[in-house]
Amino acid sequence: MNIKEAKTEIINTIRAYNKKDDQGCYTFPLVRQRPILLMGPPGIGKTAIMEQAARECGVGLVAYTITHHTRQSAIGLPHIETKVYQGKEVSVTEYTLSEIIASVYQCMEETGKKEGILFIDEINCVSETLAPTMLQFLQNKTFGSHKVPRGWVIVAAGNPPQYNKSVREFDIVTLDRVRKIDVEADCDVWMEYACRQEVHEAILSYLRIKKDNFYCVENTVDGKFFVTARGWEDLSEILKSYEEFQIPVTESLVEEYLQKEETARDFAAYYQLYRKYGTDYGITRILEGSLSSEEYKEKTEMAGKGGFEERFTVVNLVLGALHTGFSHFAGKEERRICLHEALGYLKNYIQNHEEIQDIRTFIQNRKNSLEVKIEAGLLREKEIQKENWVIRKLEEYDLNLKKDHIRKSAQGFEKIKEYFQAELQERKQETQKLLDQTEKAFQFLEEAFGDSQEMVLFISGLTQDDKAMDFLTVHESPMYLKWSEKFLYRQEEEKLLEECRKEEDLLGE
């Protein structure tokens, strides 16, 4: 199973385990709620999918790497209590609340979410003293004498023995009480995620060409060599930062993230080529249509005569430039939708507040609400940025009302509606610009490569880009429709030919 399928399985499990009846009571028997045990190589994104699953299900998340814990922090500290059994007083050992269980309750208090995921990573790499506690946790959903609260789904993760020599094997009794999912590295699935996470375009381009270099973990007599999804994602961030400061990217820097010399050397060389081709072709000018006819012809001929790696890199440069445009548009679209919702709330608010300063009070209330949510940790960074943008827009509108000497809130709101129309007009212009760039991209690649594997790569890259698909689903691009239909027809034709070959083979037997 790949990591995307594993995430779907976790989401489905949360929904199944936390289903309630009309009275609000859980319907799935607690005793049958097996914890999920993800087993897979390191660095493939097991922790990342927990965050995504929690966000999509609207539940809390508490994540622990259990190798960082002692037996005391996991189950609590012992203390003596006096109990009476059959008329006799006896001293018994009890335990303070587990740090992990306490974190679950703290999450519930801070977020207001009574259901969630308790994620325990590296569960099969614990110390000898903690191993029995982990087995008890998986079998009974408890840490010491403290149960995991109802509504919290347990997900644990571990690495197979070939990746970690400190791994402890689970016995059949334990495995018979969990849902074991074996997760494998999958480049295509990670590429979808990487595109959404704005991973550096040079990395996406390289892995579209050399998928076999995506993941590798080797234990040899010469040492440990590995390349992981985590390594690519971290490398992406340092590349962006170095480019911003104009710091040279060296092979040694790449080796710090891709700890297999051949792959690091290969990517470092490709990165230099990617940057050079970006300069040579001037993709931005091609998409803007600002090249002279002579320059344009020179670029198409240069691309058409290029070797395999150059041709594919040119396609990826075009994909990268378009992705930047689609992402920028999607970000502004989200902010505009949020602003439109805010204006709806403002409209309702001023029905009972007639003075112009009431609009300013509305804006201040929104700022106060944002501060409370930030303090409680209820918002992600992108959500904070989006809300700050909305507040700045409202403040800009309020300043314009002052300049126009508006005195009443109803009159002010009518003016604000006019201001918002300017946003919609800007959106219309941005939409047309992006459509024009998409058409020019297809035209350039068509003239350079014709109906070739490069066009297949381009269509596949657009299809993997959810921002591109969100845009092209709503805004029709004739060239995209033409080539995607042609690509789909070709796929069906190849599938039919393959079936015919199988039939011929059977008849030949």
Side-chain angles (χ1 to χ4, degrees):
M1 184 180 291
N2 62 47
I3 200 73
K4 184 178 180 181
E5 293 167 335
K7 185 184 88 168
T8 301
E9 196 63 32
I10 291 166
I11 290 172
N12 292 340
T13 300
I14 293 170
R15 290 171 177 164
Y17 285 5
N18 289 344
K19 185 178 181 296
K20 301 181 183 71
D21 59 20
D22 295 339
Q23 283 73 46
C25 299
Y26 291 103
T27 59
F28 202 104
L30 182 61
V31 71
R32 301 299 172 208
Q33 291 186 13
R34 291 190 174 200
I36 293 176
L37 176 61
L38 299 177
M39 295 297 292
I44 61 171
K46 296 188 287 289
T47 305
I49 66 166
M50 295 304 131
E51 297 168 355
Q52 296 165 30
R55 188 161 59 246
E56 291 179 30
C57 292
V59 298
L61 172 66
V62 172
Y64 272 96
T65 300
I66 200 62
T67 49
H68 299 164
H69 281 268
T70 63
R71 185 173 183 273
Q72 287 75 20
S73 63
I75 69 171
L77 293 170
H79 61 93
I80 306 299
E81 289 287 337
T82 301
K83 300 283 186 181
V84 177
Y85 295 123
Q86 296 180 345
K88 280 188 174 183
E89 281 191 359
V90 293
S91 296
V92 297
T93 303
E94 291 197 355
Y95 290 87
T96 58
L97 187 62
S98 157
E99 180 184 319
I100 295 172
I101 299 295
S103 294
V104 171
Y105 284 109
Q106 185 177 351
C107 177
M108 293 165 69
E109 289 291 327
E110 290 178 351
T111 65
K113 295 173 180 176
K114 303 304 178 187
E115 298 169 341
I117 301 170
L118 175 55
F119 177 58
I120 306 295
D121 200 7
E122 298 183 6
I123 195 165
N124 58 343
C125 299
V126 295
S127 64
E128 188 174 343
T129 57
L130 198 52
T133 301
M134 289 301 99
L135 296 180
Q136 181 194 38
F137 167 64
L138 290 176
Q139 292 176 12
N140 303 324
K141 308 175 188 69
T142 61
F143 276 107
S145 57
H146 306 289
K147 280 190 171 292
V148 176
R150 190 71 193 264
W152 281 73
V153 175
I154 297 170
V155 183
N159 300 323
Q162 62 266 36
Y163 299 107
N164 194 327
K165 61 184 179 183
S166 63
V167 159
R168 294 175 177 276
E169 294 283 356
F170 290 122
D171 55 34
I172 293 175
V173 174
T174 302
L175 291 174
D176 194 35
R177 286 173 167 81
V178 300
R179 294 170 55 186
K180 182 171 176 284
I181 298 175
D182 292 314
V183 187
E184 298 176 350
D186 187 314
C187 184
D188 289 332
V189 168
W190 185 81
M191 290 284 280
E192 292 179 28
Y193 161 81
C195 203
R196 289 194 299 272
Q197 294 299 115
E198 307 294 334
V199 166
H200 196 288
E201 289 295 334
I203 292 175
L204 298 180
S205 178
Y206 177 79
L207 291 177
R208 287 190 185 107
I209 299 171
K210 300 186 178 183
K211 291 182 181 180
D212 290 345
N213 289 351
F214 166 62
Y215 193 93
C216 170
V217 176
E218 296 176 355
N219 268 317
T220 70
V221 291
D222 296 322
K224 298 174 183 176
F225 307 100
F226 55 91
V227 176
T228 68
R230 184 189 297 121
W232 287 112
E233 196 167 357
D234 291 346
L235 174 61
S236 168
E237 292 305 314
I238 200 68
L239 290 178
K240 292 177 185 177
S241 182
Y242 271 41
E243 288 173 1
E244 186 178 346
F245 288 104
Q246 298 183 336
I247 302 171
V249 173
T250 63
E251 185 180 320
S252 60
L253 173 71
V254 176
E255 284 181 356
E256 293 169 13
Y257 294 88
L258 310 180
Q259 298 190 40
K260 184 180 180 184
E261 187 179 351
E262 297 90 336
T263 304
R265 187 189 307 119
D266 195 46
F267 174 76
Y270 179 80
Y271 174 79
Q272 301 304 329
L273 277 177
Y274 185 89
R275 298 276 290 176
K276 185 177 187 305
Y277 290 153
T279 302
D280 291 349
Y281 282 92
I283 299 298
T284 302
R285 293 185 66 197
I286 290 173
L287 299 185
E288 290 174 350
S290 60
L291 292 174
S292 66
S293 56
E294 291 80 10
E295 288 176 314
Y296 185 79
K297 184 179 179 182
E298 178 190 336
K299 305 298 183 188
T300 55
E301 289 179 352
M302 184 166 63
K305 293 176 182 176
F308 166 80
E309 198 166 275
E310 181 173 347
R311 291 158 69 94
F312 268 45
T313 301
V314 169
V315 173
N316 284 310
L317 283 165
V318 174
L319 283 170
L322 285 179
H323 174 74
T324 299
F326 290 130
S327 295
H328 183 70
F329 181 88
K332 293 195 76 171
E333 193 77 336
E334 287 180 6
R335 293 194 292 270
R336 289 189 188 106
I337 290 171
C338 193
L339 176 59
H340 185 262
E341 291 175 351
L343 295 182
Y345 292 131
L346 176 59
K347 182 181 179 181
N348 293 332
Y349 182 82
I350 64 172
Q351 288 179 353
N352 300 317
H353 302 82
E354 298 181 356
E355 301 304 319
I356 193 65
Q357 57 263 31
D358 291 325
I359 292 179
R360 286 151 211 162
T361 303
F362 172 85
I363 297 171
Q364 187 59 49
N365 289 343
R366 193 152 184 129
K367 290 172 75 172
N368 295 342
S369 175
L370 175 61
E371 289 176 7
V372 170
K373 290 176 181 176
I374 292 173
E375 185 67 26
L378 299 177
L379 299 177
R380 290 176 293 144
E381 191 60 38
K382 284 187 176 180
E383 293 170 327
I384 295 170
Q385 291 172 359
K386 185 166 57 178
E387 180 62 11
N388 274 323
W389 182 87
V390 170
I391 290 170
R392 285 196 300 271
K393 271 292 172 185
L394 292 173
E395 289 176 333
E396 178 186 315
Y397 292 167
D398 180 51
L399 180 60
N400 289 336
L401 294 178
K402 291 178 181 177
K403 291 177 180 177
D404 291 337
H405 308 288
I406 304 297
R407 297 288 181 265
K408 294 295 181 181
S409 60
Q411 184 186 3
F413 186 77
E414 291 302 313
K415 271 288 184 183
I416 288 174
K417 285 165 63 177
E418 293 178 17
Y419 304 152
F420 186 69
Q421 285 302 313
E423 291 287 332
L424 300 182
Q425 185 59 37
E426 183 182 334
R427 176 186 183 273
K428 187 176 179 181
Q429 293 170 357
E430 290 171 354
T431 300
Q432 190 56 53
K433 179 182 177 182
L434 202 44
L435 279 172
D436 290 343
Q437 289 181 344
T438 304
E439 297 297 292
K440 286 182 173 65
F442 273 103
Q443 289 166 7
F444 173 73
L445 296 176
E446 189 177 57
E447 290 182 37
F449 307 122
D451 184 2
S452 62
Q453 59 182 347
E454 285 79 16
M455 288 301 292
V456 174
L457 175 67
F458 184 60
I459 294 293
S460 300
L462 280 179
T463 305
Q464 277 187 332
D465 188 341
D466 60 339
K467 298 288 193 304
M469 288 300 94
D470 288 345
F471 182 86
L472 294 173
T473 301
V474 177
H475 308 287
E476 185 176 301
S477 163
M479 290 289 277
Y480 173 73
L481 290 174
K482 168 191 166 183
W483 280 100
S484 59
E485 286 173 6
K486 195 170 187 177
F487 179 50
L488 184 62
Y489 175 76
R490 183 187 295 175
Q491 283 183 316
E492 292 297 322
E493 188 178 56
E494 288 174 354
K495 185 178 177 182
L496 184 60
L497 285 171
E498 182 61 28
E499 289 175 358
C500 289
R501 289 190 199 99
K502 288 178 181 178
E503 290 294 330
E504 288 176 2
D505 292 341
L506 288 172
L507 291 171
E509 293 175 0

